[in-house]
Amino acid sequence: MDVSVAMWGLTIGGLCALIAADFFIGGRKPHEVSLKEAGIWTAVWVALAALFGLGLLVFAGGQPSGEFFAGFITEKSLSVDNLFVFVLIMAKFAVPTVYQQRVLMVGVLIALVLRAVFIAAGAAIISTFAWVFYIFGAFLIWTAWKLIQEARADEEETEFEENRLLKAVGKRFPSTDGYHGTQLFIVENGKRLMTPMLIVMLAIGTTDVLFALDSIPAIFGLTQDPYIVFTANAFALMGLRQLYFLIGGLLKKLVHLSYGLSIILGFIGVKLVLHALHESGAHVPEISIPVSLGVICAVLAVTTATSLYASGKQAPAEAGNGESRLRDKDSADV
């Protein structure tokens, strides 16, 4: 897909306008986000992504449109996994509920800028070295296996660990113990101090870079067009703040999400390896975008259904165990 500099400028300008509208309409004043508000804005961002994909269908054809939708759905599903870590970060830094949306907004913007750098670097490497598809494919297959191992381990207690950047910032810049509204810095006793608000924003933004290590190769497995890769990432990330508040309480019920994501990453990894072999001249079948889109949607649908079913069976069992423990305690007291 041949995209001019002017089109890049219009796209980035349009995305910036949407982000500004999101901020001034829903995120300018700190407040607790209701399920209704989160649901409306989530629907708006999904609708905007759908309209963009349909625009590609009309003006660029079915192939770019299919690649965008496959990339968007993949990035969106992978971003849901990010929300687990975001919940841990919010708890680690004890972020008040009214400030969480501001933290997520700025953190997601930091993540979007960093991902743009990753995408530019990835596109440059792919255009120069075709063999990098082997590395991307092998990495995704390894990541898929790692996700399965982690899911089988069923670790109940997980804690967020600060990365090196956050530790360096914390050592170099003195900070306050408490929050001061949405301020990032305050002056106290003549000293300029950093607030936890800035630290948690950096935590959200930089932690997402770790997720980009598998999500960027994954979307390059679906399309090698930098424009589609960037826009799919942008639309997936920009609705992440509202999705956090919408399904925050449902995250624990998605017990099979890691298995679903591992299947998707493994599938795309195999697709990348087949593409690399094809580029090398080997006579191997290539997986088309419609097939990729169908597999991704089917895996997500099955994963969600089995997760909700398993969670529904687990809840009564846990309630029964709780009642048994209470009865045992009462008997012991008597």
Side-chain angles (χ1 to χ4, degrees):
M1 183 175 168
D2 188 17
V3 180
S4 65
V5 175
M7 180 57 69
W8 271 104
L10 286 173
T11 302
I12 294 173
L15 292 174
C16 290
L18 291 174
I19 293 170
D22 185 9
F23 173 75
F24 285 107
I25 296 174
R28 186 176 184 180
K29 183 180 179 181
H31 63 283
E32 293 189 24
V33 179
S34 65
L35 284 177
K36 180 180 179 181
E37 179 184 349
I40 291 172
W41 276 103
T42 299
V44 167
W45 282 115
V46 172
L48 289 172
L51 287 174
F52 183 84
L54 292 175
L56 286 177
L57 176 63
V58 172
F59 295 104
Q63 180 75 10
S65 178
E67 291 176 353
F68 171 80
F69 281 117
F72 171 74
I73 294 172
T74 299
E75 293 299 309
K76 200 71 174 176
S77 60
L78 289 172
S79 69
V80 172
D81 203 31
N82 298 17
L83 298 182
F84 286 99
V85 179
F86 289 175
V87 169
L88 295 176
I89 292 174
M90 294 294 188
K92 169 76 174 180
F93 292 97
V95 182
T97 307
V98 293
Y99 302 139
Q100 288 185 4
Q101 65 161 342
R102 180 64 60 84
V103 169
L104 288 168
M105 177 174 284
V106 177
V108 166
L109 288 177
I110 294 172
L112 184 57
V113 172
L114 293 176
R115 285 200 179 204
V117 175
F118 269 59
I119 291 167
I125 293 173
I126 286 173
S127 63
T128 306
F129 307 105
W131 50 262
V132 79
F133 286 115
Y134 288 110
I135 298 176
F136 280 1
F139 177 74
L140 289 179
I141 293 171
W142 175 80
T143 303
W145 173 249
K146 187 179 177 183
L147 275 176
I148 292 176
Q149 294 293 92
E150 290 175 355
R152 294 180 64 183
D154 193 22
E155 298 178 0
E156 296 184 358
E157 295 295 332
T158 306
E159 294 184 358
F160 168 73
E161 295 184 3
E162 295 182 7
N163 56 44
R164 293 182 180 179
L165 173 62
L166 293 180
K167 291 178 180 178
V169 170
K171 290 179 180 179
R172 185 156 186 166
F173 299 96
S175 61
T176 63
D177 293 329
Y179 291 87
H180 295 264
T182 57
Q183 296 183 73
L184 305 182
F185 294 93
I186 65 166
V187 177
E188 193 174 85
N189 298 326
K191 292 183 63 178
R192 186 177 177 84
L193 301 176
M194 178 176 59
T195 70
M197 180 65 69
L198 177 59
I199 299 176
V200 71
M201 285 176 178
L202 290 173
I204 294 289
T206 56
T207 300
D208 183 80
V209 174
L210 300 177
F211 292 97
L213 292 178
D214 55 35
S215 67
I216 297 301
I219 193 170
F220 270 116
L222 298 169
T223 176
Q224 286 81 59
D225 191 320
Y227 182 78
I228 297 177
V229 173
F230 174 74
T231 51
N233 267 273
F235 279 106
L237 280 178
M238 287 192 301
L240 195 58
R241 175 171 63 91
Q242 291 82 5
L243 196 62
Y244 172 88
F245 295 104
L246 181 64
I247 68 170
L250 298 176
L251 287 175
K252 291 183 179 180
K253 293 185 178 181
L254 299 177
V255 293
H256 297 158
L257 179 63
S258 293
Y259 291 106
L261 294 180
S262 67
I263 293 172
I264 291 172
L265 291 177
F267 169 77
I268 298 175
V270 171
K271 183 179 185 299
L272 272 172
V273 172
L274 290 175
H275 178 73
L277 290 170
H278 182 79
E279 291 293 311
S280 300
H283 296 287
V284 294
E286 283 205 273
I287 302 173
S288 66
I289 287 298
V291 171
S292 299
L293 187 57
V295 169
I296 292 167
C297 291
V299 169
L300 290 176
V302 171
T303 299
T304 302
T306 57
S307 293
L308 295 178
Y309 177 75
S311 299
K313 290 184 64 178
Q314 187 177 0
E318 291 179 350
N321 291 335
E323 291 176 0
S324 299
R325 285 194 293 269
L326 286 175
R327 285 195 298 268
D328 294 341
K329 183 177 183 301
D330 292 339
S331 300
D333 291 340
V334 171

